[in-house]
Amino acid sequence: MRTIRVETSAATILLTEAPEPKVRDRQTGEIAKDAVTGEALMTVGVVYIEDGESSLVKVTVPESGVTEGLILGSPVSLPGLVARPWESVFNGQQRHGIAFRAAAVTPAAFPAAHGATG
């Protein structure tokens, strides 16, 4: 399925949920693995702010891409962020959405305010 690269240079991204293992099967507790590398996957919650609009988003990141020093409420960077549309049928109901995945989640700096003087 097609992935769409997400341009984040004009956005502020804040960490809202600490990294936790992505669960593949809620009944068994099986942790999701990358289909190619077999590496365990993690999810992080972020608020994505751009052009005065914000969205709460869950992003999947490989376990090795979770960087030390992440602090809730602080800005983060999501290098290699892509969006992938998905759809499935569950209990006879069709569901669809957009899945987000990044190569890593790393601490970032707040963007400089426009017109700020130093």
Side-chain angles (χ1 to χ4, degrees):
M1 188 172 279
R2 176 144 174 81
T3 60
I4 303 160
R5 200 167 319 144
V6 179
E7 171 57 49
T8 61
S9 63
T12 298
I13 304 169
L14 304 175
L15 186 66
T16 59
E17 294 179 32
E20 59 184 43
K22 181 174 184 169
V23 178
R24 180 174 188 265
D25 185 331
R26 290 184 188 152
Q27 291 182 340
T28 65
E30 179 185 358
I31 302 302
K33 307 266 187 206
D34 182 277
V36 175
T37 66
E39 182 176 2
L41 297 174
M42 306 290 282
T43 60
V44 295
V46 300
V47 62
Y48 185 97
I49 306 166
E50 187 174 15
D51 294 332
E53 306 246 339
S54 64
S55 297
L56 290 171
V57 177
K58 290 264 192 186
V59 180
T60 299
V61 179
E63 190 172 33
S64 65
V66 176
T67 307
E68 294 288 323
L70 298 173
I71 300 169
L72 290 179
S74 66
V76 293
S77 175
L78 297 167
L81 183 63
V82 294
R84 182 177 45 87
W86 62 269
E87 64 179 50
S88 66
V89 177
F90 184 74
N91 287 338
Q93 293 187 333
Q94 187 163 2
R95 301 176 62 200
H96 57 88
I98 300 173
F100 293 91
R101 181 147 178 184
V105 55
T106 62
F110 279 105
H114 294 288
T117 58

